[in-house]
C-alpha cells in the first residue's frame, strides 16, 4: 500500500515462547515500506518451543464512526451517461459489508474511469487479462485502483482493463481526473465498473452510501436500473 496500513498480530498455542513486543499488538505500517514487526524465540533456550501466529490487516486508517452524507462526482467523464446494473444492497453479488453500498455501472471495455473524489492512490492492480463467473477462478483477479481520501474513506474502482491504469501508487489525484480504463476482469458477468466508497471502521472494511452531483444541480442517490 502507498499509505499506512494497520496490522493486528496474535500469538496462539504458544509453548515456551517469548515475543518482542508482547502480543497481541497492533502495528501501523507506513506506506511503501517493509518492517520487521515481531521477534520470537524460546523463553528457555534449553527447551523446544512452538507457536502459531495469526495476522490480519485492513486497508485505511481505522476510525470509530463511518463518514456519512458524501456527495461525489460520477466516476466517469462529465458528459457521459451509463446504466446502473446493480445498486445499493444489490442481491446478486453485493452481499458483504464491504460491497453493500457498491455500484455496478455498465461500461464498454476501454471507457474512461475518473476519480469521484481527490486523494492519494493507495494501490494499483492491472496485470490480469481475463474475467468470468467462476468464483474460485476469478474472485481475486479484478484489476483495480484504490484511492484514499482526506477523511479516511477510500474509493475502489474495479474490473479495469489489463494495463488500463494511468496513475501510480502514491500519486495524488484530483476529483474528475482520468485514472483508468474500464474492463471485464475478475469475477464478472460482463463489462462494467464496480465502484464503492469504503472505510476501515474498527478494523472492519465497510462500504458507505453516497450521492452523486447532478449536472442540473443538487445531488441524488444512484438507483439500480437507471442511468447516471
Amino acid at each position: 500500500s502507498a499509505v499506512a496500513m494497520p496490522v493486528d498480530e496474535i500469538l496462539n498455542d504458544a509453548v515456551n515462547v517469548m515475543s518482542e513486543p508482547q502480543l497481541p499488538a497492533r502495528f501501523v505500517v507506513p506506506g511503501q515500506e517493509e518492517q520487521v514487526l515481531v521477534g520470537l524465540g524460546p523463553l528457555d533456550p534449553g527447551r523446544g518451543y512452538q507457536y502459531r501466529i495469526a495476522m490480519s490487516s485492513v486497508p485505511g486508517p481505522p476510525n470509530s464512526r463511518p463518514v456519512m452524507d458524501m456527495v461525489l462526482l460520477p466516476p466517469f467523464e462529465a458528459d457521459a451517461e451509463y446504466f446502473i446494473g446493480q445498486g445499493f444492497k444489490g442481491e446478486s453479488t453485493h452481499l458483504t459489508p464491504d460491497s453493500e453500498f457498491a455500484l455496478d455501472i455498465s461500461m464498454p471495455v476501454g471507457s474512461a474511469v475518473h476519480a469521484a473524489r481527490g486523494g492519494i492512490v493507495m494501490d494499483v492492480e492491472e496485470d490480469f487479462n481475463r474475467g468470468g463467473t467462476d468464483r474460485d477462478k476469478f474472485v481475486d483477479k479484478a484489476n483495480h485502483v484504490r484511492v484514499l481520501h482526506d477523511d479516511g474513506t477510500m474509493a475502489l474502482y474495479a474490473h479495469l482493463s489489463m494495463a488500463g491504469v494511468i496513475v501510480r501508487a502514491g500519486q495524488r489525484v484530483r476529483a474528475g481526473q482520468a485514472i483508468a480504463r474500464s474492463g471485464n476482469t475478475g469475477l464478472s458477468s460482463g463489462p462494467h465498473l464496480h465502484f464503492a466508497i469504503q472505510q476501515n471502521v474498527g478494523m472492519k472494511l465497510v462500504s458507505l452510501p453516497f450521492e452523486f452531483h447532478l449536472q442540473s444541480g443538487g445531488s441524488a442517490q444512484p438507483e439500480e436500473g437507471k442511468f447516471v
Side-chain angles (χ1 to χ4, degrees), residues 7-64:
V7 179
D8 284 348
E9 291 201 10
I10 301 173
L11 194 63
N12 297 317
D13 301 332
V15 176
N16 190 37
V17 172
M18 62 179 297
S19 67
E20 178 59 42
Q22 186 174 350
L23 298 180
R26 176 171 296 172
F27 308 90
V28 178
V29 180
Q32 298 181 312
E33 286 191 16
E34 293 184 2
Q35 287 188 356
V36 176
L37 300 179
V38 179
L40 296 165
L43 186 62
D44 178 355
R47 297 169 48 211
Y49 66 102
Q50 68 180 41
Y51 64 88
R52 290 188 303 113
I53 191 165
M55 183 178 71
S56 62
S57 63
V58 178
N63 293 275
S64 59

Side-chain angles (χ1 to χ4, degrees), residues 68-160:
M68 304 302 290
D69 301 321
M70 285 179 289
V71 181
L72 320 173
L73 294 176
F76 45 78
E77 295 170 303
D79 59 351
E81 185 179 64
Y82 294 104
F83 184 77
I84 299 177
Q86 189 172 190
F88 292 170
K89 300 187 177 181
E91 297 181 355
S92 177
T93 57
H94 298 170
L95 304 176
T96 54
D98 64 314
S99 64
E100 180 182 6
F101 293 103
L103 300 178
D104 283 347
I105 304 174
S106 299
M107 302 174 74
V109 171
S111 300
V113 176
H114 290 229
R117 297 182 72 186
I120 298 175
V121 179
M122 292 182 66
D123 56 77
V124 168
E125 175 59 68
E126 59 176 343
D127 295 333
F128 300 120
N129 64 355
R130 297 180 59 197
T133 57
D134 185 333
R135 173 171 290 274
D136 292 338
K137 189 173 183 179
F138 294 112
V139 69
D140 59 348
K141 301 293 191 300
N143 294 326
H144 67 271
V145 173
R146 181 180 291 276
V147 177
L148 174 69
H149 310 133
D150 291 341
D151 59 5
T153 63
M154 299 165 284
L156 177 65
Y157 309 81
H159 303 297
L160 306 174

